Amino acid sequence: MEIKQTAIAGTLESSDIQIMLSKGQSGIQIDLESDVKKQFGDQINAVITETLKKFDIDNVKVKAVDKGALDCVIKARTIAAAQRALKTVDQPAWEVL
Amino acid sequence: MYESIVDLNLTNSKVRAKWQAFLKSLGIADFSDREVDQIDFTIGIYNGDDLVATGSAAGNVLKYVGVCNKGVTTGSRFNAIVGELVNRLFQQQIFHIFVFTKKRYSESFQHIGFEQLGDTDVAAFLEMGDPNIHDYLDGLPKVPNQQYQQIGAVVMNANPFTLGHRYLVEKAAKQNDFVYVFVVSAERSLFTADERLKLVRAGLRDLDNVIVVAGGDYMVSYATFPAYFLPDNVTATDYQTALDARVFKTQIAPALHITTRYVGSEPLSKTTNQYNQALKRELPPDVQVVEVPRNQDQTGAVITATRVRKAIKAGDLSNIIESLPSSTYDFIKENLHELQSRIMKGMNIDGN
């Protein structure tokens, strides 16, 4: 699936993560900013990548600012950002959830 | 504890007074109309009756961000305010956001996803969103083996393009393998950004080693840099020109392997002269600055775009035909009424 417009989801509050998706050419490129990147960076990237793949998004630039989000939050924010970026907000992708 | 974010209506004098007093307590002193009038919306957080955090947006620039951390985790209110500002701008389809701030706050912004474009002793300039500076630089035309070539650069507003501009570019083209000509993209001039870019392209078409590109958001937009947060002893022009020069030095020049920047000597405009001085101070040794004396027309008068604009206002093009390439002259002749009506509507023609 193609990214139709740049989109953002999430906040910068503690325990949340802000995900921004924009058009990309070369795969899923994640730029992660997190205080716990050293400990959990790989896991955060894996959750984002896995969620995007369920939407068949292959080429996208991801900017993620993590404030200590749990996996379920990362997933939820990624789904919200993806649906906004694909302009499919009015057709929630239940099977992805 | 969750604190809710509310809209602040600055046209309400009571709200405005409280907002101003709060920011003053944080060391922001400039509330001149020039800065405040541009604000599109302002948000804040109250604790009881006290304002404890605020931030504003003007176009795609965040302004007047101020936070009191008393009694809460450091950073939480700051993150809430900036996060909300960013989310609202995205809802308005504004995906590329800038902030100019005191140097000591740069790190706070970087911590929440902003990237620093340049900084000086007092100020920093950051962006977030897309397309960002890397997208801009990636999108510029390149030549093969650019890192082994001698690359020069000229930045111009070209309002409009004259033979003076051409003289400067010709000099640069002779001394380099390739020359980038950046045309300032900010819309604050009599000629629109598109018109200026088009006329520069037309006037330089015959020079094979010249690449004309739009300056995007990153070139000599110093006139639009907000300056309200600066201490009184730093003049706005000094900081704006220095910051602009740093962006060129740390971002633009290395990416394009630019080693020399050419500027025209500036006998007439004080601001432009200050800008030239700032470039000479900031760019070396990474980038050499070559100041080329102004070209003169056959009568010995210095060619300036200001004179051309005055002639347009007066409707008498006979004096400026010598100063212009035919492409610019023809364009002015064809669009004289349109240009004059822009001046009538209040477009300032005395600037740069």
Side-chain angles (χ1 to χ4, degrees):
Chain A
M1 291 263 263
E2 275 294 304
I3 298 289
K4 294 201 172 66
Q5 65 170 12
T6 303
I8 202 165
T11 71
L12 300 165
E13 309 273 349
S14 181
S15 305
D16 203 343
I17 183 169
Q18 186 190 63
I19 305 263
M20 182 174 94
L21 304 178
S22 50
K23 278 184 187 150
Q25 271 85 44
S26 40
I28 296 175
Q29 292 173 292
I30 302 176
D31 176 9
L32 173 66
E33 168 87 39
S34 174
D35 283 343
V36 290
K37 191 170 178 174
K38 217 166 126 194
Q39 294 89 337
F40 298 112
D42 290 345
Q43 172 64 13
I44 295 169
N45 286 344
V47 173
I48 295 172
T49 307
E50 188 193 331
T51 311
L52 290 172
K53 285 218 167 116
K54 286 192 182 153
F55 280 94
D56 291 323
I57 296 173
D58 301 319
N59 292 307
V60 61
K61 280 198 294 184
V62 184
K63 172 93 193 177
V65 183
D66 171 58
K67 295 290 164 198
L70 299 172
D71 282 6
C72 54
V73 176
I74 299 169
K75 202 172 155 189
R77 296 307 193 189
T78 308
I79 291 171
Q83 293 224 275
R84 287 173 187 165
L86 299 170
K87 291 196 173 178
T88 56
V89 177
D90 50 347
Q91 311 142 33
W94 301 114
E95 64 277 17
V96 177
L97 304 172
Chain B
M1 186 188 72
Y2 181 75
E3 294 178 310
S4 63
I5 295 174
V6 295
D7 283 272
L8 299 184
N9 178 7
L10 296 184
T11 53
N12 177 326
S13 58
K14 260 167 98 179
V15 174
R16 166 93 185 237
K18 204 167 228 179
W19 174 77
Q20 207 157 311
F22 173 63
L23 287 171
K24 258 189 190 150
S25 73
L26 297 171
I28 294 175
D30 180 354
F31 297 96
S32 61
D33 291 345
R34 193 179 78 92
E35 301 275 5
V36 176
D37 282 355
Q38 295 168 1
I39 292 176
D40 296 324
F41 66 91
T42 300
I43 57 175
I45 297 174
Y46 282 100
N47 181 7
D49 278 342
D50 296 330
L51 188 63
V52 291
T54 181
S56 303
N60 66 346
V61 179
L62 305 189
K63 284 181 147 189
Y64 291 106
V65 176
V67 174
C68 162
N69 282 320
K70 214 178 279 172
V72 293
T73 316
T74 303
S76 65
R77 282 175 182 158
F78 175 81
N79 291 3
I81 286 286
V82 177
E84 177 71 11
L85 288 172
V86 168
N87 275 323
R88 288 199 189 193
L89 289 175
F90 268 65
Q91 276 168 24
Q92 297 171 20
Q93 310 288 310
I94 296 172
F95 300 126
H96 188 202
I97 299 166
F98 292 105
V99 61
F100 301 83
T101 184
K102 286 182 186 148
K103 190 185 167 87
R104 67 171 179 273
Y105 298 134
S106 175
E107 212 169 294
S108 303
F109 280 99
Q110 286 179 50
H111 201 61
I112 51 176
F114 282 74
E115 188 181 350
Q116 181 169 298
L117 297 168
D119 66 339
T120 70
D121 297 342
V122 291
F125 173 28
L126 304 96
E127 73 171 353
M128 82 149 286
D130 104 322
N132 61 24
I133 192 159
H134 306 293
D135 300 323
Y136 169 74
L137 292 169
D138 288 346
L140 294 181
K142 312 274 184 340
V143 293
N145 296 320
Q146 188 150 330
Q147 64 271 38
Y148 305 116
Q149 312 267 7
Q150 174 89 10
I151 311 281
V154 182
V155 178
M156 57 176 66
N157 195 26
N159 181 34
F161 185 76
T162 67
L163 290 177
H165 295 113
R166 186 178 158 95
Y167 176 77
L168 179 64
V169 177
E170 276 175 354
K171 279 265 158 161
K174 265 185 213 139
Q175 294 172 6
N176 291 275
D177 296 323
F178 283 94
V179 175
Y180 280 98
V181 175
F182 296 96
V183 182
V184 175
S185 298
E187 293 286 8
R188 316 181 102 235
S189 305
L190 174 59
F191 291 78
T192 68
D194 278 348
E195 288 164 358
R196 288 183 283 111
L197 186 62
K198 209 178 80 188
L199 292 177
V200 174
R201 287 219 163 102
L204 296 170
R205 186 163 288 149
D206 54 314
L207 299 176
D208 293 335
N209 63 340
V210 171
I211 306 167
V212 180
V213 297
D217 292 309
Y218 306 105
M219 225 93 41
V220 214
S221 42
Y222 63 84
T224 62
F225 285 9
Y228 61 87
F229 58 84
L230 293 172
D232 291 341
N233 54 1
V234 179
T235 70
T237 316
D238 277 350
Y239 124 82
Q240 288 161 339
T241 52
L243 201 51
D244 177 82
R246 294 277 174 98
V247 174
F248 187 84
K249 175 184 177 150
T250 57
Q251 307 283 344
I252 315 275
L256 301 173
H257 306 284
I258 292 166
T259 48
T260 318
R261 174 140 167 201
Y262 291 78
V263 297
S265 69
E266 189 43 76
L268 300 176
S269 158
K270 191 176 161 224
T271 316
T272 311
N273 189 35
Q274 261 177 310
Y275 182 54
N276 285 352
Q277 298 313 315
L279 290 175
K280 281 192 205 164
R281 212 167 41 236
E282 300 287 344
L283 295 187
D286 311 47
V287 179
Q288 298 306 315
V289 178
V290 175
E291 193 165 8
V292 178
R294 282 260 174 163
N295 190 16
Q296 299 174 344
D297 65 14
Q298 280 129 342
T299 64
V302 175
I303 296 177
T304 74
T306 310
R307 220 179 82 209
V308 174
R309 296 195 295 275
K310 287 194 174 129
I312 292 170
K313 187 181 178 188
D316 178 10
L317 304 183
S318 58
N319 287 327
I320 55 167
I321 186 163
E322 306 285 333
S323 307
L324 300 173
S326 58
S327 46
T328 303
Y329 182 77
D330 292 346
F331 179 86
I332 293 175
K333 225 169 97 182
E334 268 167 43
N335 297 284
L336 189 58
H337 287 295
E338 162 66 15
L339 293 167
Q340 283 177 327
S341 83
R342 286 182 203 167
I343 297 172
M344 292 278 286
K345 280 183 198 140
M347 175 56 75
N348 175 19
I349 58 163
D350 295 327
N352 294 301

